[in-house]
Amino acid sequence: MSDEKNKGKAVTELLDIAKVENIQTAHARSASMKPCPIGATSACCKNCFMGPCRLVSKSGEEKRGVCGATQDTVAARNFARMIAAGNAGHVDHAREIVKVFRGAAKGELKHYEIKDEVKLHMIAKVYGIDTDGRDKQDIAIELGDKITAEFGQQEGELKMIGRAPKKRRQLWKDKGLSPRGIDMEIVEMMHRTIVGNDQDVMSLLMAGTRTALSNGWGGSMIPTELQDIMLGTPSPLKGKANLGVLEEDQVNIIVHGHDPLLAEMIVEAVKDESLQAAARAKGASGINIVGICCTANEVLLRHGLSMVGSFSQQELALITGAVELMAVDIQCIMQSLPAIAKCYHTKIITTSDKAKIPGAAHIPFDEENAYEQAKEIIKLAVDNFPNRRKVHIPDEKTADLIAGFSHETISYMLGGTFRSSYRPLNDNIINGRILGVVGVVGCSLPKDEGKGITSTVVKELIANNVLVLQTGCASYACANEDYLIPEAAVKYAGSGLAEVCETVGIPPVLHCGSCVDNSRILIACAAMVHEGGLGNDLADLPVAGCAPEWMSEKAIAIGQYFVGSGAPVVFGSKSPVANSKCVNDLLTKGFKEITGGFWAFEPNPNKMAQIIIDEIVVRRTALGIEKQKERVLYDMAMRRDLKCG
Ligand code: NFS
């Protein structure tokens, strides 16, 4: 079948409309774009203006930049800068969340509160905060202050790394990889990589790893945990996906981006009867809030709201003509949206001063009046409903999928009613029913639409008894293959994984949230080590990370923090540092000796899955569990026998 036919009915229909209406989409731009061959392999340096230098060596002799920088230095610098840039996205997201968290803790914000006290206490403990006899506001104020101080911290280590296993923390310390201040690592990396500074490949990559670790165990973990405390820790609920979740007879509002603070208020405010009445007065039967990108994952995991699309579908959603308003916050927002919206009646509203787009209206997020703002935005959408012109909503949406697998939920679901624990997961890995655990995460690429790259990797993995954890846009691809429903276990999973999933009632692919929520996967891995039986370091675990369709610098930062945390990481592309054999070898082989993790770059999805499975088998062999042991599957009776505590 051609890619065109494979794209899925909804995408094909909307791309057809785009063609007829002469609307340019990322799919078309991607098809006509000839990627820069120099940039693709890191053969280009533009860190100063003596070049930009093209380090292409035709005869194989060493080629240097004007400043003398080698191909190796340039590749390492470029890679390290990608890490720093990706980090900056997550860290700056964290900063916004901490600001609102502190306001909520002080009782200064009417509409944000401390919802999850259990998690508050847990994170307070991580920060060494005494919780005895103190009320939640008091604890939260101290926690907010301590976290704020970590952004500018000049000495010491980030507190969250205390959640990693002891052996890993020691390794980080010994190798100078323990992350210090969150902002400091990024600033230092930008400094290291300016012209004429750090030119030692190893030095750059090690600092890059420390920068990345400050993301995974800091810049990403902080928003995940504080969002949970303020907005609620996700637990399993139902949701739907695909472009057919837009409603013909309702006011459709799309929340898009990554920061859930305003989206959360929109979800609250839509319950206001006066807005519902206003929608009815305009001829709509209700107001439908759906999401795109990671804001979609946030509102799906906490409220069961539908994912209308991932990164690749953001333009297509507008081409339905059924979107009254799209409110965007930060990151992964295409600049083409206002131009496409102009062809319809759709209003594009930017809400972050850090992400303005020409042609969009701007309503800057104001945490003190977030609820009122949310109402104002909904009202704009409602008033826009009668302006609809031609509408075409594809008749494509998934069955009810299950999302909301926070680390706590995984522990609870697998541990049973009486004791939340990773013991059953570890036991089922040890006895071979589950081969390993893999995070399949990351973006969706317009150029790969319809090729089933992400879903093929996942299908192979679950068929081989690998439990898959998902975040980000990758989850949308799998939602559309119905891998996020419990029935997928019987249909697609290997017999061992299927039995475990059936017993517990979970899908073989667990949706854990947005991209900052990859930190949940780190915590799950740490919990597996702490539980015992699978070695005493993260690098011992039969786990891996994979981003089959990555595109963002954030993905590189995430990949490197998994490598730094001892995991094999497979990305679905050719090596972005191919112009330097040295840097490429270090990332794909050398790091094994340093952190136990390593990179692989492989565009073929079947091969990606094979690399992962092979490494999991290597790790299982090292643990002495390569052979399936006698079956231990926790049924209800065995769960009842588990002692509490
Ligand atoms: Ni992650 Fe989320 Fe999607 Fe990729 Fe963009 S939305 S942060 S970067 S495209 S998964």
Side-chain angles (χ1 to χ4, degrees), residues 543-547 555-556 558-564 566-571 587 597-601 611-612 615:
V543 300
C546 180
I556 292 287
I558 293 166
Q560 190 64 22
Y561 76 60
F562 274 102
V563 169
V569 169
V570 185
F571 268 35
L587 292 179
F598 63 89
W599 284 89
F601 300 103
I611 294 168
I612 292 167
E615 176 61 14

Side-chain angles (χ1 to χ4, degrees), residues 90 258 293-294 311 331-332 442-444 472-473 515 551-552 554:
H90 290 146
H258 288 77
C293 284
C294 283
F311 175 78
Q331 301 171 16
C332 298
C443 321
S444 62
C473 291
C515 282
M551 60 85 189
S552 168
K554 291 181 286 176

